[in-house]
Amino acid sequence: PDWAVSTVSQHCPPTRSACGWCEIPCMFMHSHQIFPSLQAALAGQYQFERLLGHGGMGTVVLARDVRLDRRVAIKILPTTAEEDPDLHLRFLREARTAGQLSHPNIVPVFRADELGGHAFFAMPYVDGEDLGAMIQRQRTWSASDVGRWLREVAWARADAHARGGVHRDSKPENSMIERDSGRALVTDFGLARSGSVSLISNANAYA
């Protein structure tokens, strides 16, 4: 997914590249500086390439699955949230919820684990753009494109609902459009509800 960059990183000048001044991961960091303890624990499995984005409920990193030679997105629980049992539980429930879903229009989860002092989960890297950004960039779209995206998002949500999951934050930013295929994929099922359990209590606190 095309995660939002942290406010701090947006205002750091290029001359402060990988400065280490703050603990917030930013776009100027070299790949080896992003969660080094987790990288060490995942050596031989995933190779971190660059930061995709950072938010309240996770940092997302572009990585390469060494064994399968494919690009993946790894979402990592923020260091500041590791000490919060509630946030920690919600983060793992997000992975569990998405991991139970299997649909061509839902971004799945490959793996969820805790290593190097960090909770994380791995999912496919979607080379594309979220609908929110697309709408800001271009106000008009063809009726056929809009109709196809609406159908695909509806199919994804209907499938999740049939399995007991309800996405609670339906908005353009939580739907990715794959660059090559034009396919819509629903993300951020951490904002979903599985059965009667709310996975995220504050819909504004997410990556």
Side-chain angles (χ1 to χ4, degrees):
D2 194 7
W3 306 90
V5 181
S6 70
T7 303
V8 172
S9 67
Q10 289 178 5
H11 293 89
C12 290
T15 53
R16 296 251 321 271
S17 176
C19 66
W21 182 78
C22 66
E23 296 182 355
I24 299 177
C26 76
M27 304 303 286
F28 298 125
M29 296 180 81
H30 296 302
S31 60
H32 69 272
Q33 294 179 301
I34 304 172
F35 296 99
S37 61
L38 180 57
Q39 288 201 61
L42 291 173
Q45 301 177 56
Y46 298 104
Q47 181 179 338
F48 286 20
E49 295 186 358
R50 62 181 172 87
L51 187 72
L52 291 176
H54 176 80
M57 278 301 294
T59 296
V60 183
V61 177
L62 175 63
R64 184 173 66 88
D65 185 325
V66 175
R67 295 171 180 172
L68 298 178
D69 192 23
R70 63 180 177 183
R71 295 178 113 187
V72 299
I74 297 181
K75 186 172 183 179
I76 307 162
L77 184 66
T79 304
T80 54
E82 290 284 353
E83 299 177 356
D84 188 326
D86 190 40
L87 286 177
H88 193 273
L89 179 61
R90 292 174 188 174
F91 184 85
L92 293 178
R93 279 177 173 167
E94 174 178 354
R96 196 173 300 123
T97 299
Q100 293 171 353
L101 302 174
S102 178
H103 189 275
N105 299 109
I106 293 176
V107 177
V109 166
F110 293 144
R111 173 185 179 183
D113 210 337
E114 294 184 66
L115 292 171
H118 296 285
F120 71 94
F121 60 84
M123 52 194 166
Y125 168 64
V126 179
D127 182 15
E129 189 176 12
D130 72 71
L131 270 173
M134 291 174 65
I135 292 170
Q136 290 296 319
R137 176 172 52 80
Q138 180 177 326
R139 292 293 182 176
T140 58
W141 297 89
S142 70
S144 60
D145 283 341
V146 173
R148 184 177 74 254
W149 296 334
L150 287 173
R151 285 194 302 272
E152 291 176 343
V153 170
W155 290 336
R157 297 186 187 282
D159 183 79
H161 188 269
R163 298 169 188 267
V166 180
H167 203 295
R168 299 181 64 193
D169 194 32
S170 299
K171 61 183 180 181
E173 288 78 7
N174 285 336
S175 294
M176 294 289 296
I177 304 300
E178 197 170 38
R179 201 176 312 279
D180 290 340
S181 67
R183 176 178 53 149
L185 296 105
V186 177
T187 67
D188 275 342
F189 269 90
L191 296 170
R193 181 179 61 195
S194 180
S196 61
V197 179
S198 174
L199 304 188
I200 293 292
S201 60
N202 182 355
N204 293 317
Y206 70 100

